Amino acid sequence: MPVGTGALAACASRDDEGMLRQRVLTAMVLMPVTVLTVLYAPLPVFAVAAGLIMLLALWEWQGLIGLHDGYKKSAYLCTLLLLMLASLLPVMEIRKPIVLAAVGFWLAATIGLAFPAPWRRFLGRRAVQLLAGLILLHAAWLSLVLLHAVWPTILLYLLLVVWTADIAAYFCGRRWGKRALASRISPGKTREGVYGSLVMTTILALACGGYLHLERQQLLLLLMLTLITTGMSVVGDLTVSLLKRHAGIKDSGRLLPGHGGLLDRLDSLLAAAPVFFCGAWLMLIGYT
């Protein structure tokens, strides 16, 4: 007996509500833990925790690029681990090149996403995928650790920007989304969702700037950095979505109920973190 469209819509609605409930419950657990870790964990503890997360994300990255051989996967993970350890040594000046290389990649991705077919072919090359995984995850880890070392509160602000952008995009897209942002890459993302992200992160920047009693020029710089970071978080999300489409999978993993894998939650931060770090560093230089 055929099922009516009304029944199908009701089932889809229940599935959406169940998924949303899982997302909210997972976020209610992860967000407080993350905030407490950022604000109160000593730098070595934070660096180790963030490093473990990036190694798990790289494990999922291997699934996206079709790397399944056990020895190769172990060697790939060990390479990232060695890079992270080497970047902590004062004699190894690899931190700046790694972060700048990641920023260059994300700027190229911003242009490349406007031309999804050639950008997809570029990302489809195994050498590019392997190198990008190491550079992007290492740079994100470095950016988080360096921000934490300077001022944990500014790291928390970065996370708030990314979280606010993600939540606003999700709910604004559900409520008002009509025009697809990149239908060939991620049909569920809408332009209205991006507009909602920009509006809400603008409010966040103005609220934080007012709370800190920033001067007008400082507030404008913070607002500019916040909007750029918001835009780059979208680029990170779309880039990982493109890799998932290339691999023919919906989620990078199943570790987080309602969210998918770690990489599904870190995709925005991978792009936002190095860009935000460079912008914050330039702002600091301008006021010293």
Side-chain angles (χ1 to χ4, degrees):
M1 179 178 177
V3 180
T5 56
L8 289 174
C11 290
S13 178
R14 285 195 296 270
D15 290 342
D16 289 343
E17 290 178 1
M19 182 67 69
L20 177 59
R21 189 178 299 109
Q22 285 186 328
R23 289 172 68 97
V24 171
L25 290 175
T26 303
M28 288 176 65
V29 173
L30 292 180
M31 284 186 175
V33 172
T34 303
V35 170
L36 291 174
T37 303
V38 167
L39 293 180
Y40 298 108
L43 180 59
V45 174
F46 175 81
V48 170
L52 290 174
I53 290 172
M54 292 303 168
L55 288 171
L56 288 172
L58 189 69
W59 179 271
E60 294 181 350
W61 182 278
Q62 293 175 130
L64 292 185
I65 65 177
L67 189 63
H68 301 298
D69 181 81
Y71 291 107
K72 292 180 180 179
K73 291 172 73 173
S74 298
Y76 195 45
L77 289 171
C78 288
T79 301
L80 178 59
L81 178 60
L82 290 174
L83 283 172
M84 290 192 293
L85 292 174
S87 62
L88 297 177
L89 300 176
V91 295
M92 298 292 288
E93 284 298 330
I94 64 173
R95 288 175 288 187
K96 186 182 295 183
I98 288 291
V99 173
L100 291 179
V103 171
F105 175 90
W106 292 119
L107 291 177
T110 304
I111 300 172
L113 287 171
F115 308 95
W119 183 243
R120 182 174 179 173
R121 288 195 296 271
F122 175 74
L123 287 182
R125 299 176 180 176
R126 177 55 62 85
V128 172
Q129 295 171 342
L130 291 171
L131 188 59
L134 293 175
I135 291 176
L136 301 181
L137 289 165
H138 186 195
W141 175 79
L142 266 177
S143 301
L144 298 177
V145 171
L146 292 173
L147 286 170
H148 188 278
V150 174
W151 190 16
T153 305
I154 198 171
L155 171 56
L156 180 59
Y157 179 76
L158 164 63
L159 297 177
L160 288 175
V161 170
V162 173
W163 293 341
T164 300
D166 184 57
I167 293 170
Y170 181 79
F171 285 103
C172 291
R174 282 170 59 95
R175 177 63 179 83
W176 295 292
K178 293 181 180 179
R179 295 175 295 173
L181 177 64
S183 57
R184 296 182 181 180
I185 300 174
S186 182
K189 294 179 177 61
T190 64
R191 297 184 183 183
E192 290 79 9
V194 175
Y195 299 153
S197 295
L198 294 171
V199 169
M200 293 307 297
T201 54
T202 295
I203 294 173
L204 175 66
L206 294 176
C208 291
Y211 178 77
L212 296 173
H213 303 290
L214 297 182
E215 299 176 0
R216 179 177 298 180
Q217 185 176 1
Q218 292 174 316
L219 181 58
L220 288 175
L221 288 173
L222 177 64
L223 180 58
M224 184 183 305
L225 178 59
T226 300
L227 293 177
I228 291 173
T229 302
T230 301
M232 294 310 298
S233 72
V234 177
V235 172
D237 192 335
L238 289 175
T239 300
V240 174
S241 293
L242 186 59
L243 283 171
K244 287 189 288 188
R245 284 186 71 85
H246 186 270
I249 60 177
K250 181 179 183 295
D251 297 320
S252 64
R254 299 180 179 179
L255 185 61
L256 304 176
H259 293 267
L262 264 178
L263 201 55
D264 294 313
R265 291 301 90 209
L266 291 177
D267 49 11
S268 299
L269 190 62
L270 291 183
V275 172
F276 181 88
F277 171 76
C278 288
W281 181 75
L282 290 173
M283 287 174 60
L284 181 63
I285 291 296
Y287 279 91
T288 55

